[in-house]
Amino acid sequence: MAVHLALGSAQRGARWLLRPTIRALAAGRTAGTAPAVAVSANQVKLKSEEDLAEITALQMLYRMTFKGYLKKMHELQVYEKQLYGPIYKVRMGDFKAVVLNSVELLEELLRKDEKFPCRGDMTLWTEYRDMKGLGYGPFTEEGEKWYKLRAVLNKRMLHPKDSVQYGDVINEVVTDFIKRIYHLRQISPSGDMVTDVSNELYRFSLEGISSILFETRIGCLEKEIPEATQDFINSIGQMFSYSMLVVMLPKWTRNVLPHWDWYLAGWEGIFKFARNLIDRKMDAIQHRLAQGQEVEGEYLTYLISNRKMSSKDVYGSITELLLAGVDTTSNTLMWALYLLSQNPEVQDRLHREVSSFILGGRPITAQVVSDMQFLKAVIKETLRLYPVVPANARLMTEADISIGGYFFPKKTSFTICHYSISQDEKTFPEPHKFRPERWLRDGRQRPNPFGSLPFGFGVRGCVGRRIAELEMHLALSRIISLFEIRLDPHIGEVKAHNRTVLVADRQVNLHFVERNGTSSN
């Protein structure tokens, strides 16, 4: 669910297509405390944002078109840092943003976060809702209303002990996914190949998050996906596919070109699917209440029964959580399996850890994986190398602010280059190497935690972080306990493409070689 970052950055990233340690110099605050103190440019000798190097729309278009960065916007962060340093700005017409490209500047900004942190313009997602009279969710709502909404959504979701209660539900989905792996292996020519692993993990992730949010299975792991579920999957792809055109093209083209209607149709399919499942649960609750029976259930039942949320809030929130809960898990697991296939010594170490916890046939549960430190480190290192969303943003709305020795008036928008920051060799020695041990609590110096923030920071951090982590930990540990992962040698080197989230640039096929003494059970 860390893809909550993607929801804000998708629109800003599309608009980009068109248009040394530094400490705070003025009084700031940590997240959740009093508002930041206003900074006057006359109080201290601060530089102006006009002193920053500036990237224009023409420069951006040139780099995408002629230098090959169209699908590699994450790599463009690294290139621009080499040209301009850790802080610079982008200006295209009325739109402008200050770009922060170092861990020190990122930490300085986030430690001055406001009480109600703002991602900025979310019109890309709110316009359809406004047209249809639909409610906002945790990614589109802002201000105090967002704060109150998150207070309700956080319960039964964000605390580690809350995620444990979903362990059995997730494990049931993992079991069905492993059965599907065995089936796909059996029908492959080699007897152990799973083709298009990204697609299979997407189906697993959607089934997992739906089982929690809707308290029901939707058939993603069946041999034949139910028609309604497939329509929903297609609607998600359609909405994301046309998002870029919606942002890039002027509004008058909506009456001439079909992209706007196709984009709206994607949203219609998404909300239709979520609405049907929510309404089904509402009807079941009302029926039980009418019969004088107790209402039992998990997350959706809790939200529907909560008097602090309207039905519009429930529709908007569940739909956004559903969208955000798929890409994080599926993409991260795909990259983790790929990295393990390329680093057999790391895979062996992970297998040894997992095996040590399941001696005597002990099942892998939520409680068990919570003690697997190397497993957690593998996921953290995967997210460092391939952050689900390579960029994020903050709009400082309450007061003037100083960052990196520069004065910025309120309403300044900041773009955060998470990918480039996570590749900085000063924070992460040998940054291009897959080294999970760098995250272990074994006495070594650990990296600056602001160097990799896949789930965000502070009160605006991902509401579904613990669920996503539990899904990844359970799935990866059980897969590694059963199979050795090897890359199909015909695939070649897999690289990342930036389509709002970082995805593989080609179809990934993996050999799932059964380990000695294991079975489908």
Side-chain angles (χ1 to χ4, degrees):
M1 288 187 187
V3 181
H4 76 291
L5 301 176
L7 309 179
S9 65
Q11 181 161 332
R12 288 180 295 274
R15 286 183 172 174
W16 268 38
L17 300 180
L18 299 175
R19 39 165 217 192
T21 301
I22 304 172
R23 297 301 179 191
L25 298 179
R29 65 176 184 85
T30 57
T33 58
V37 177
V39 178
S40 169
N42 297 321
Q43 288 177 320
V44 290
K45 292 182 179 180
L46 298 174
K47 296 179 182 179
S48 165
E49 64 180 284
E50 297 304 317
D51 296 320
L52 292 172
E54 181 175 294
I55 300 174
T56 66
L58 287 177
Q59 290 173 310
M60 186 67 69
L61 288 172
Y62 171 79
R63 288 164 187 166
M64 290 187 308
T65 304
F66 296 102
K67 295 188 74 69
Y69 284 109
L70 180 59
K71 295 181 179 180
K72 301 177 182 178
M73 295 295 288
H74 56 298
E75 294 182 11
L76 185 59
Q77 296 177 11
V78 179
Y79 175 74
E80 289 176 343
K81 184 175 183 178
Q82 295 171 347
L83 292 178
Y84 307 113
I87 182 170
Y88 45 95
K89 62 185 177 184
V90 177
R91 188 190 300 268
M92 284 163 264
D94 294 332
F95 173 78
K96 65 178 181 178
V98 175
V99 181
L100 303 183
N101 209 332
S102 77
V103 67
E104 295 86 5
L105 295 175
L106 170 59
E107 180 175 358
E108 186 177 354
L109 174 72
L110 293 183
R111 290 203 180 280
K112 295 179 179 179
D113 229 345
E114 298 170 343
K115 182 177 181 181
F116 308 132
C118 178
R119 289 196 184 95
D121 190 357
M122 287 293 293
T123 306
L124 182 64
W125 278 42
T126 58
E127 195 167 3
Y128 172 81
R129 289 160 174 74
D130 294 340
M131 290 174 56
K132 298 293 184 177
L134 299 170
Y136 289 2
F139 311 117
T140 49
E141 195 61 82
E142 296 289 358
E144 186 173 0
K145 187 172 181 181
W146 162 83
Y147 190 83
K148 293 179 178 178
L149 183 64
R150 274 295 301 264
V152 177
L153 295 175
N154 286 350
K155 294 181 179 180
R156 300 199 183 189
M157 181 72 77
L158 193 57
H159 195 278
K161 69 178 182 180
D162 293 327
S163 65
V164 171
Q165 69 180 317
Y166 302 115
D168 291 343
V169 173
I170 296 173
N171 246 338
E172 288 179 6
V173 179
V174 175
T175 295
D176 286 346
F177 179 63
I178 290 174
K179 290 178 180 177
R180 181 164 176 80
I181 290 177
Y182 274 102
H183 167 70
L184 295 171
R185 291 171 72 252
Q186 186 176 20
I187 64 176
S188 72
S190 66
D192 61 11
M193 175 81 77
V194 175
T195 59
D196 199 358
V197 172
S198 296
N199 179 63
E200 297 301 328
L201 288 168
Y202 188 93
R203 293 171 62 165
F204 159 72
S205 301
L206 179 56
E207 186 73 22
I209 190 61
S210 297
S211 297
I212 293 172
L213 293 180
F214 297 122
E215 302 171 10
T216 187
R217 298 291 295 271
I218 62 174
C220 289
L221 299 178
E222 297 175 8
K223 293 182 180 180
E224 295 293 332
I225 299 180
E227 182 178 357
T229 299
Q230 187 61 57
D231 288 344
F232 172 70
I233 294 174
N234 295 341
S235 295
I236 295 176
Q238 182 169 321
M239 184 275 290
F240 278 122
S241 296
Y242 292 101
S243 293
M244 191 72 73
L245 286 175
V246 170
V247 174
M248 292 176 64
L249 297 177
K251 286 190 175 182
W252 63 262
T253 62
R254 297 177 180 181
N255 297 321
V256 181
L257 301 176
H259 66 288
W260 176 242
D261 290 335
W262 291 338
Y263 174 73
L264 294 181
W267 273 120
E268 186 65 32
I270 291 168
F271 270 94
K272 177 182 178 181
F273 181 81
R275 188 184 301 113
N276 286 341
L277 290 175
I278 294 170
D279 287 347
R280 188 186 308 170
K281 176 61 68 172
M282 285 183 172
D283 290 343
I285 290 175
Q286 291 300 325
H287 178 74
R288 293 184 68 86
L289 290 174
Q291 299 296 320
Q293 300 173 344
E294 292 185 5
V295 175
E296 297 179 352
E298 294 297 339
Y299 198 67
L300 182 55
T301 302
Y302 155 70
L303 293 183
I304 293 174
S305 304
N306 195 301
R307 297 181 179 180
K308 296 180 180 179
M309 289 188 70
S310 66
S311 59
K312 288 178 60 175
D313 290 337
V314 173
Y315 288 131
S317 296
I318 288 292
T319 303
E320 291 184 7
L321 290 172
L322 180 63
L323 284 173
V326 178
D327 285 290
T328 297
T329 304
S330 61
N331 282 320
T332 303
L333 282 173
M334 192 286 298
W335 287 120
L337 292 173
Y338 171 71
L339 288 167
L340 290 170
S341 76
Q342 299 302 287
N343 295 270
E345 71 288 350
V346 177
Q347 185 173 173
D348 288 344
R349 181 173 177 178
L350 177 59
H351 178 249
R352 289 196 301 272
E353 179 184 69
V354 173
S355 298
S356 69
F357 278 89
I358 57 175
L359 293 174
R362 183 185 184 190
I364 298 177
T365 64
Q367 291 81 4
V368 171
V369 295
S370 67
D371 293 326
M372 295 184 185
Q373 299 307 310
F374 194 69
L375 170 69
K376 295 178 181 179
V378 166
I379 294 297
K380 286 179 69 68
E381 182 71 347
T382 301
L383 285 166
R384 179 190 71 82
L385 286 168
Y386 299 101
V388 179
V389 181
N392 194 17
R394 278 291 194 273
L395 176 65
M396 308 305 285
T397 62
E398 295 180 4
D400 302 336
I401 190 174
S402 71
I403 298 292
Y406 290 86
F407 169 83
F408 301 103
K410 65 180 179 179
K411 303 295 184 182
T412 295
S413 180
F414 293 91
T415 295
I416 303 166
C417 296
H418 287 297
Y419 179 84
S420 178
I421 290 171
S422 71
Q423 299 290 316
D424 193 325
E425 62 181 6
K426 292 186 297 183
T427 306
F428 300 100
E430 299 182 291
H432 302 299
K433 290 189 176 181
F434 182 52
R435 291 178 48 193
E437 63 273 11
R438 71 174 90 237
W439 298 103
L440 294 176
R441 298 179 181 272
D442 57 1
R444 76 184 73 207
Q445 183 176 356
R446 303 178 75 217
N448 185 327
F450 287 87
S452 180
L453 292 173
F455 294 101
F457 173 80
V459 294
R460 194 105 208 191
C462 176
V463 63
R465 171 179 181 173
R466 303 303 179 185
I467 300 297
E469 289 176 330
L470 182 58
E471 286 182 306
M472 293 186 287
H473 294 159
L474 284 172
L476 185 57
S477 61
R478 292 185 62 185
I479 289 171
I480 291 300
S481 73
L482 296 170
F483 306 106
E484 178 187 347
I485 309 301
R486 300 175 188 170
L487 181 68
D488 178 359
H490 300 96
I491 296 298
E493 183 182 2
V494 182
K495 296 184 178 181
H497 272 185
N498 189 342
R499 293 202 298 259
T500 302
V501 296
L502 289 186
V503 299
D505 66 346
R506 66 198 67 191
Q507 177 176 302
V508 177
N509 305 329
L510 295 174
H511 291 278
F512 285 71
V513 181
E514 194 166 7
R515 297 183 185 274
N516 293 332
T518 64
S519 68
S520 59
N521 295 323

